[in-house]
Structure formats: C-alpha cells, structure tokens
Amino acid sequence: MNILVIGGAGYIGSHVTREFLDLGHKCTVYDNLSSGLRENLFAEAKFVHGDIHDYQTLLNSMKSSAFDALVHLAASKAAGESMLNPEKYSRNNIAGTINILNAACEAGIKNIVFSSSAAVYGEPQYLPIDEKHPTLPENYYGFTKLEIERFLGWYDKLKNIRYASLRYFNAAGYDVKGRIKGLEQNPANLLPVIMETACGIRKEMQVFGDDYDTQDGTCIRDYVHVNDLATGHALALNYIVKNNKSFIVNLGSENGFSVTEVLETAREVTGKSIPAKVSERRSGDPAKLTASCTFAHELLGWKAQHSDLKTLIKTSWEAYSK
Ligand code: WQD
C-alpha cells in the first residue's frame, strides 16, 4: 500500500515507518521536524518537510500521490505540559487533526490509523483497563486524544473514512535491530530520563513519590515496546482496509513494572549507578495503570513480543550509549 505517515520522523513515527517499509509498503513521511529528527528518516521513504497547520501544503502532499491510507502520529504528548499550556495542545492536537481530516476528505484518502493514548481513560476504576473502561481523562492531553476519537467517529459516519484508533500505554524501547538512533529531545518519560541519567546527560533523576499503594511504593505502568506498537499499526491498517470497518483498541504489554523495578533493571543492564532521589509525587499520576489487550489479540492477532523489561532497557541503552 501507499501510506502517508504524518509525524513519521518522530520516536514512534520512525519505528512505524520502518515497519511499513519492511513489509514492502511505499511510505511518504510528512513532518515539520519540531520534535522529529532528520536522522530518523529513511532513504526508501519520500520526505515532505511540512506542517499540519499549513493546510495547502498538507493537501498538496495528500494529492501528490494515490495514498491508500494515512497514519497520524503528529501531536504534542506531554501530559503535564498540557495542563500548563492547553492552547498548544488545542492547536497541535485538535486543530492540526481537523486539518488532516478535512484534507483527507478533499484528497479522497479513506483510511486513517490514529495514535491515541491510554490517557483517555484517566484514573483507573478497574484493572487491567479494557476498551469498555470509562473515558474520563484527567489531563488536557488525554482530553485532546479523546475528542479526536469523537471527530473520527463522525467522519466515519458522514464521510465513510475508516479509522483505527490505537490507545498506546507507555511506549518505550528502541528498534531491536538498532536501525533507529534519533534520541528524543528533553524527554519527560521515565525510560529516556533513566537513559539520560545513565549516560551522564543528567546528573540525577527524580522518583516522583514512593508512597503509593504498590508493592514498593512507586507507580506501576504498562510499558510497551515501540516495535510492538509499530506491528500494531500495520495490523490495524490491514484490518480497516480489508474489513472497511473502524475500531478503537488498547496496545500495551499487559505487564506492570514499578519505577523502582525499571530503575534497578536499568542499573543492572547498563552497569551504571543512575543516581536517583525520591521527590514529591507528580500530580495526576495514578498508582497503577495496566492494559487488557484481549481485544487487540482477538481482532488483529496482535500480542506484544518485545515488551519484557530487559529488552525495553537493553534496546534503549543500545541507542543511548552510542
Ligand atoms: C511513568 C512513571 C512517573 C519520570 C505519560 C503520558 C501518557 C503517555 C505516556 C503519550 C510515572 C514516573 C517519570 C521521572 C518518575 N504519553 N517518573 N521520574 O505519566 O505514565 O504517561 O507518558 O501517549 O499519555 O501521560 O509516563 O514516563 O511520564 O511516567 O518517577 O523523571 O514514571 O511518576 O509514575 P506516564 P511517564
């Protein structure tokens, strides 16, 4: 298939593009490089240096080739920042996606895979979280992702655009074949923060609270390898094209690891001390978040293969220690 990957120079976007290319698909990456990196681009994929706010460029790109589908991974994704600067998230995540949807209608692109997030669920009412769990986002980032899912539902109904909305849990790790090297800039997520501390970019990291109701007092999260996420995108695209049917699905490992477990395993794998200090809780952090991926398994035959803690950390360290 001929696929337009919007945000394809980003951390997840580059792994998704690599997966599509490995499967023999033709890819065009559309990215403004605001957080995506040129070094994440592949020679086999055409690159358009464009912004999703630039409707005309976006539309011209969509019309430049007979695209079978687009994958939309271009968004701001820091939950904490979204509470301090909601305007940025309204603009990038909501207005940007409306541009993409309207340009897709004009260009006749009928299949969309959308990068959503477990943040749509908010505070867990039960665990593991399945797709029937109430969606009550606690941060503006999660709100934007949920609202976009609602737009997609309407465009399915009114414009026959079929979509797959993939609710990622905590994306982590790097390409198991070491082909992607671009490091996220100023990351806030646990794994890259640990990696930056391990290689001395940061002097010390903070553990945001150790008084949660978990076995060691630190928060538990469902970390899913970015190669597993990429496979999920390919299976999801095949499904909507083949069945002409939209769906929403969780993508997680179904395992939960605490901050302490991740930190200890990182010290073991890297051989580095990784200085860490326990500080105040970060507001909005639930004690535990783990996914049920029964639906992804039944619908797509998808199951995380590389999301064990050792692989997540080993592949991350291979990228950071270079
Ligand atoms: C994980 C755990 C922190 C950094 C966020 C978004 C979510 C998704 C993934 C996009 C938490 C602790 C972290 C640090 C720490 N993004 N931590 N010290 O908050 O689970 O989810 O990223 O889809 O939408 O909300 O991920 O990696 O920030 O935190 O102690 O320096 O690590 O408190 O318990 P989170 P995270």
Side-chain angles (χ1 to χ4, degrees), residues 77 79 117 119 141 170 188-190 193 205-208 219 221 223 259 282 285:
K77 62 157 190 161
S117 166
Y141 161 75
N170 288 53
N189 292 129
L190 182 66
V193 164
M205 66 163 285
Q206 290 181 310
V207 172
F208 297 140
C219 294
R221 291 291 181 272
Y223 296 96
V259 177
R282 186 173 67 175
D285 274 345

Side-chain angles (χ1 to χ4, degrees), residues 44-62:
E44 313 99 293
K46 190 166 166 283
F47 173 56
V48 177
H49 188 187
D51 199 308
I52 59 176
H53 301 299
D54 176 351
Y55 187 82
Q56 209 45 59
T57 305
L58 186 61
L59 179 61
N60 294 343
S61 301
M62 289 191 187

Side-chain angles (χ1 to χ4, degrees), residues 229-251:
L229 286 180
T231 309
H233 286 69
L235 292 169
L237 179 55
N238 288 345
Y239 182 92
I240 57 173
V241 170
K242 184 160 162 275
N243 299 281
N244 191 31
K245 203 166 166 320
S246 300
F247 66 94
I248 295 175
V249 75
N250 287 344
L251 293 183

Side-chain angles (χ1 to χ4, degrees), residues 2-68:
N2 186 7
I3 305 165
L4 179 66
V5 187
I6 302 176
Y11 165 56
I12 299 177
S14 54
H15 285 86
V16 168
T17 304
R18 185 65 262 162
E19 175 75 8
F20 281 135
L21 292 169
D22 291 350
L23 291 167
H25 295 299
K26 192 164 163 267
C27 290
T28 296
V29 168
Y30 186 95
D31 201 301
N32 68 359
L33 300 181
S34 60
S35 57
L37 301 167
R38 259 185 206 286
E39 65 183 299
N40 283 347
L41 298 173
F42 301 104
E44 313 99 293
K46 190 166 166 283
F47 173 56
V48 177
H49 188 187
D51 199 308
I52 59 176
H53 301 299
D54 176 351
Y55 187 82
Q56 209 45 59
T57 305
L58 186 61
L59 179 61
N60 294 343
S61 301
M62 289 191 187
K63 285 180 164 176
S64 66
S65 182
F67 289 111
D68 301 294

Side-chain angles (χ1 to χ4, degrees), residues 274-296:
I274 312 182
K277 189 163 62 55
V278 177
S279 63
E280 285 306 299
R281 289 184 171 197
R282 186 173 67 175
S283 70
D285 274 345
K288 188 172 176 182
L289 272 177
T290 47
S292 155
C293 296
T294 310
F295 185 48

Side-chain angles (χ1 to χ4, degrees), residues 59-314:
L59 179 61
N60 294 343
S61 301
M62 289 191 187
K63 285 180 164 176
S64 66
S65 182
F67 289 111
D68 301 294
L70 71 86
V71 181
H72 172 24
L73 305 112
S76 299
K77 62 157 190 161
E81 182 193 41
S82 76
M83 302 301 275
L84 303 170
N85 185 355
E87 307 90 316
K88 173 178 173 182
Y89 283 71
S90 301
R91 186 165 182 275
N92 289 347
N93 296 10
I94 295 182
T97 301
I98 290 174
N99 269 354
I100 290 170
L101 289 175
N102 288 347
C105 292
E106 222 178 310
I109 298 177
K110 290 285 185 195
N111 300 291
I112 295 181
V113 176
F114 172 61
S115 160
S116 187
S117 166
V120 302
Y121 293 116
E123 184 69 26
Q125 292 177 21
Y126 58 80
L127 290 171
I129 293 182
D130 59 18
E131 290 81 357
K132 295 187 184 64
H133 187 286
T135 47
L136 300 166
E138 307 245 313
N139 55 61
Y140 193 66
Y141 161 75
F143 168 81
T144 64
K145 289 295 185 179
L146 187 60
E147 286 309 289
I148 293 161
E149 288 185 353
R150 291 191 174 130
F151 288 125
L152 287 166
W154 277 102
Y155 276 70
D156 175 290
K157 227 194 299 283
L158 303 178
K159 305 298 290 185
N160 293 317
I161 285 190
R162 302 295 171 246
Y163 69 91
S165 181
L166 311 182
R167 291 174 175 172
Y168 307 163
F169 277 68
N170 288 53
Y174 266 80
D175 182 36
V176 291
K177 293 178 182 163
R179 297 164 298 182
I180 295 168
K181 303 178 177 35
L183 304 180
E184 286 185 276
Q185 309 302 307
N186 313 312
N189 292 129
L190 182 66
L191 263 290
V193 164
I194 288 180
M195 288 295 125
E196 288 194 349
T197 312
C199 54
I201 296 172
R202 292 177 192 227
K203 282 244 162 312
E204 179 183 74
M205 66 163 285
Q206 290 181 310
V207 172
F208 297 140
D210 64 353
D211 56 352
Y212 285 93
D213 181 16
T214 61
Q215 86 263 20
D216 59 32
T218 62
C219 294
I220 293 171
R221 291 291 181 272
D222 180 320
Y223 296 96
V224 53
H225 196 284
V226 64
N227 282 139
D228 288 327
L229 286 180
T231 309
H233 286 69
L235 292 169
L237 179 55
N238 288 345
Y239 182 92
I240 57 173
V241 170
K242 184 160 162 275
N243 299 281
N244 191 31
K245 203 166 166 320
S246 300
F247 66 94
I248 295 175
V249 75
N250 287 344
L251 293 183
S253 68
E254 299 193 312
N255 299 321
F257 302 119
S258 74
V259 177
T260 303
E261 281 174 305
V262 178
L263 197 45
E264 291 306 322
T265 309
R267 286 171 176 146
E268 203 185 296
V269 169
T270 64
K272 302 288 182 186
S273 60
I274 312 182
K277 189 163 62 55
V278 177
S279 63
E280 285 306 299
R281 289 184 171 197
R282 186 173 67 175
S283 70
D285 274 345
K288 188 172 176 182
L289 272 177
T290 47
S292 155
C293 296
T294 310
F295 185 48
H297 190 54
E298 286 167 356
L299 191 78
L300 308 173
W302 179 87
K303 197 154 176 51
Q305 307 293 325
H306 307 286
S307 298
D308 59 284
L309 193 47
K310 273 257 170 48
T311 303
L312 291 168
I313 290 178
K314 208 166 136 308

